[in-house]
Amino acid sequence: MNPSILDGAAAVILILFVVSGYRKGISKIFSKVLCYVISAVLSLLVSNMMADYLYEVYVQDSVVLNLSNTIESFNIRNEIQNCYKELSLGNDISDKDIEVIMSSDKDDIDIKMTQIIKDRTGVSCDKEEVYKRMSEIVNVSFQNKIGKVIPSCAGKYFNDSASKNKTEIFDVMRSLYSYPDSHTAAKFIEQTYIRNLMIKFMKIVIFSVCFVALMVIIQIIIKIMPKSDAIVNLNTTNRVIGGGAGLFIGIVFLLFAATFLKLLIYSGVSGENLNDEVINQTKFFTYFYNFDYLLLK
């Protein structure tokens, strides 16, 4: 998608809200402003209060269980053996050398692999090629497995994050190799990489549902309330304040639209043409998309 389309749509929406507010005046749209404010504030409070609780009660155990089952069937030693064999032109690696490589607590697992290949076989490997091949153990082999058992929102962002972060790749490898059982390794991966992503997603879902529900409820209440028969004087001051209120409503609307768009992207249903990278290329809409009013960061 062309980023300019999102910028243009956002600008048009704001202009329409300002013009509508100016034409109606603050006296006619005050109830709508109040509706937006109450809905946004209450939805924000509910999402921040409930996301952690709902995740821990209804989601966390199933995520850990699915991760544990996947880790149990994933043989990290075989993956390292295959990696070594490919890089060293068909040689096997000993358990002792695997232990030497995986015992490192630094981001030098690939460097140790490179050195051991050279010392044991005489094959000189490019360090970047060794890192690329070792990272595929997490980025391809392991992610292909966990992507099928954890929620798509967490799987997508775990994949994106790990594929760009050397420290995360090697931390995952160490957890798969070093922890005494699959459940402990699953807890580490869930706490370190999955939990925050899932809570962010749940905050967005809760906020979106609450916002829409409260908007509908408050609008119904406003409609059934008795209305004043007084004639409103649409003077310049009334119109200008109405235009400002219209701008406020437009901003809130765009923030909600950005939140809903983020929900689609987190869910992985937005498609390849609409993602974080495309939105961050926009000049205007990106401010609404990245405004962290839900405290996601």
Side-chain angles (χ1 to χ4, degrees):
M1 175 181 285
N2 190 334
S4 300
I5 295 176
L6 290 174
D7 280 337
V12 169
I13 288 171
L14 275 184
I15 291 171
L16 290 175
F17 273 106
V18 171
V19 171
S20 176
Y22 180 82
R23 291 178 61 185
K24 294 178 179 179
I26 185 61
S27 54
K28 288 188 177 181
I29 67 169
F30 178 76
S31 60
K32 185 175 289 188
V33 173
L34 194 62
C35 178
Y36 270 81
V37 171
I38 294 174
S39 298
V41 171
L42 290 180
S43 299
L44 184 60
L45 291 173
V46 171
S47 65
N48 279 289
M49 286 191 301
M50 296 299 295
D52 286 76
Y53 171 78
L54 291 176
Y55 173 73
E56 291 171 0
V57 172
Y58 296 105
V59 181
Q60 186 178 36
D61 287 344
S62 63
V63 169
V64 172
L65 178 61
N66 289 333
L67 279 173
S68 179
N69 291 336
T70 301
I71 292 170
E72 194 168 350
S73 65
F74 185 80
N75 193 320
I76 186 67
R77 286 180 178 272
N78 285 349
E79 294 291 335
I80 296 172
Q81 176 70 257
N82 293 336
C83 176
Y84 182 91
K85 183 174 287 190
E86 180 181 321
L87 292 168
S88 65
L89 306 179
N91 292 283
D92 291 326
I93 187 173
S94 67
D95 288 343
K96 182 178 179 180
D97 284 339
I98 292 178
E99 181 67 30
V100 170
I101 292 170
M102 298 306 299
S103 64
S104 174
D105 58 357
K106 301 178 182 178
D107 295 339
D108 62 351
I109 289 178
D110 53 333
I111 297 174
K112 286 193 172 186
M113 172 72 91
T114 304
Q115 189 61 49
I116 286 178
I117 291 174
K118 185 175 181 180
D119 292 345
R120 302 292 185 269
T121 68
V123 177
S124 295
C125 297
D126 180 70
K127 291 181 180 179
E128 291 186 3
E129 180 61 27
V130 174
Y131 170 69
K132 177 183 177 183
R133 180 62 186 85
M134 294 197 75
S135 67
E136 288 176 355
I137 294 175
V138 172
N139 293 338
V140 179
S141 301
F142 185 60
Q143 288 183 5
N144 283 345
K145 285 182 173 292
I146 68 168
K148 299 174 183 178
V149 300
I150 63 175
S152 59
C153 58
K156 176 183 182 299
Y157 277 80
F158 173 75
N159 292 356
D160 292 347
S161 177
S163 64
K164 300 173 184 176
N165 192 313
K166 185 175 184 178
T167 300
E168 289 190 7
I169 289 173
F170 291 154
D171 281 348
V172 171
M173 288 183 65
R174 275 189 287 265
S175 70
L176 294 173
Y177 178 83
S178 303
Y179 282 105
D181 56 73
S182 60
H183 182 78
T184 306
K187 285 289 290 183
F188 170 80
I189 292 173
E190 183 271 331
Q191 288 288 331
T192 309
Y193 304 111
I194 306 299
R195 178 187 174 88
N196 287 341
L197 294 172
M198 285 298 302
I199 289 177
K200 288 179 183 180
F201 180 76
M202 296 192 75
K203 279 185 178 182
I204 294 173
V205 172
I206 295 168
F207 177 86
S208 301
V209 172
C210 287
F211 185 81
V212 172
L214 286 169
M215 285 285 290
V216 172
I217 292 170
I218 296 173
Q219 289 280 15
I220 292 173
I221 293 173
I222 291 173
K223 285 185 177 181
I224 63 177
M225 288 177 64
K227 296 179 176 58
S228 173
D229 295 328
I231 298 175
V232 177
N233 181 18
L234 287 178
N235 55 35
T236 302
T237 302
N238 195 325
R239 290 181 183 276
V240 170
I241 297 175
L247 176 63
F248 171 79
I249 294 173
I251 290 173
V252 174
F253 179 86
L254 286 176
L255 286 173
F256 175 74
T259 300
F260 184 74
L261 186 58
K262 192 173 292 185
L263 177 63
L264 296 179
I265 293 173
Y266 269 49
S267 302
V269 299
S270 60
E272 296 181 357
N273 294 325
L274 187 59
N275 50 45
D276 284 341
E277 185 177 347
V278 171
I279 293 176
N280 287 326
Q281 290 175 3
T282 62
K283 305 298 183 183
F284 179 56
F285 185 71
T286 184
Y287 293 107
F288 297 96
Y289 186 79
N290 290 314
F291 184 65
D292 191 28
Y293 64 95
L294 287 178
L295 305 179
L296 298 178
K297 296 179 181 178

